[in-house]
Amino acid sequence: MSSLPAEFEQFHWMVDMVQNVDLGLIVIDRDYNIQVWNGFMTHHSGMQAHDVLGKSLFEVFKEIPQEWFKLKTKPVYDLGCRSFITWQQRPYLFKCRNVRPVTQQANFMYQNVTLNPMRTPTGQVRSLFLSIQDATAEALISLEKTSR
């Protein structure tokens, strides 16, 4: 009985983690075409990977202001550093439904987004990945406190 090589097993684990982590993960290239779309994004946006892969982020999500978003990605591509979008700056980047039963009083998912550089083996940044965190519970608590 042969066992799978350790590298293949680790690769399988990584794919499983990316698809099942409670965090949106999207990879876009320098032309803003979607290269990776994980299970979190499918679940919350209602869009399947086969419907978005290879398409422009701005074509799929028309609510994202292109010039503003391109300015957010500039330090990631040019300097190789992270960039952040908090729900306080903009309630969401991707208009996703709120599916958490405890926080159903929100019409959409508030989000914190981190834009991370992805380096090639030679150190170039040709793509970036976005990590999208559901910040709805935190946002609603904060908004409730400020409205008192």
Side-chain angles (χ1 to χ4, degrees):
M1 183 173 189
S2 66
S3 63
L4 293 172
E7 295 85 13
F8 181 78
E9 188 171 7
Q10 286 179 342
F11 175 76
H12 178 75
W13 288 344
M14 292 298 287
V15 170
D16 197 37
M17 283 189 296
V18 165
Q19 285 304 320
N20 294 299
V21 68
D22 195 27
L23 193 68
L25 296 174
I26 301 170
V27 174
I28 58 172
D29 62 21
R30 277 193 176 259
D31 295 322
Y32 301 93
N33 294 314
I34 300 168
Q35 304 298 312
V36 171
W37 186 259
N38 80 335
F40 178 97
M41 291 306 296
T42 296
H43 176 68
H44 291 282
S45 73
M47 295 184 197
Q48 299 294 318
H50 64 265
D51 294 326
V52 301
L53 292 177
K55 292 186 179 167
S56 166
L57 186 70
F58 305 118
E59 175 188 334
V60 177
F61 291 95
K62 295 180 183 353
E63 70 268 16
I64 299 175
Q66 287 189 41
E67 292 310 310
W68 170 83
F69 187 74
K70 287 178 180 180
L71 281 173
K72 285 297 212 178
T73 65
K74 190 167 176 41
V76 181
Y77 284 126
D78 294 352
L79 304 173
C81 63
R82 288 180 169 176
S83 182
F84 303 91
I85 304 165
T86 65
W87 70 265
Q88 293 97 334
Q89 296 169 320
R90 180 176 171 82
Y92 59 83
L93 183 60
F94 302 96
K95 180 96 183 218
C96 293
R97 62 185 185 258
N98 177 26
V99 297
R100 295 195 184 247
V102 175
T103 57
Q104 280 301 322
Q105 60 265 38
N107 294 326
F108 55 84
M109 177 199 302
Y110 287 82
Q111 299 162 5
N112 289 327
V113 181
T114 304
L115 292 78
N116 304 276
M118 296 186 73
R119 297 187 187 283
T120 64
T122 59
Q124 296 175 303
V125 179
R126 292 196 183 141
S127 301
L128 63 83
F129 78 91
L130 295 93
S131 56
I132 298 94
Q133 177 188 19
D134 182 352
T136 306
E138 169 193 341
L140 292 177
I141 290 167
S142 179
L143 293 170
E144 183 181 309
K145 285 180 183 176
T146 58
S147 69
R148 288 183 191 167

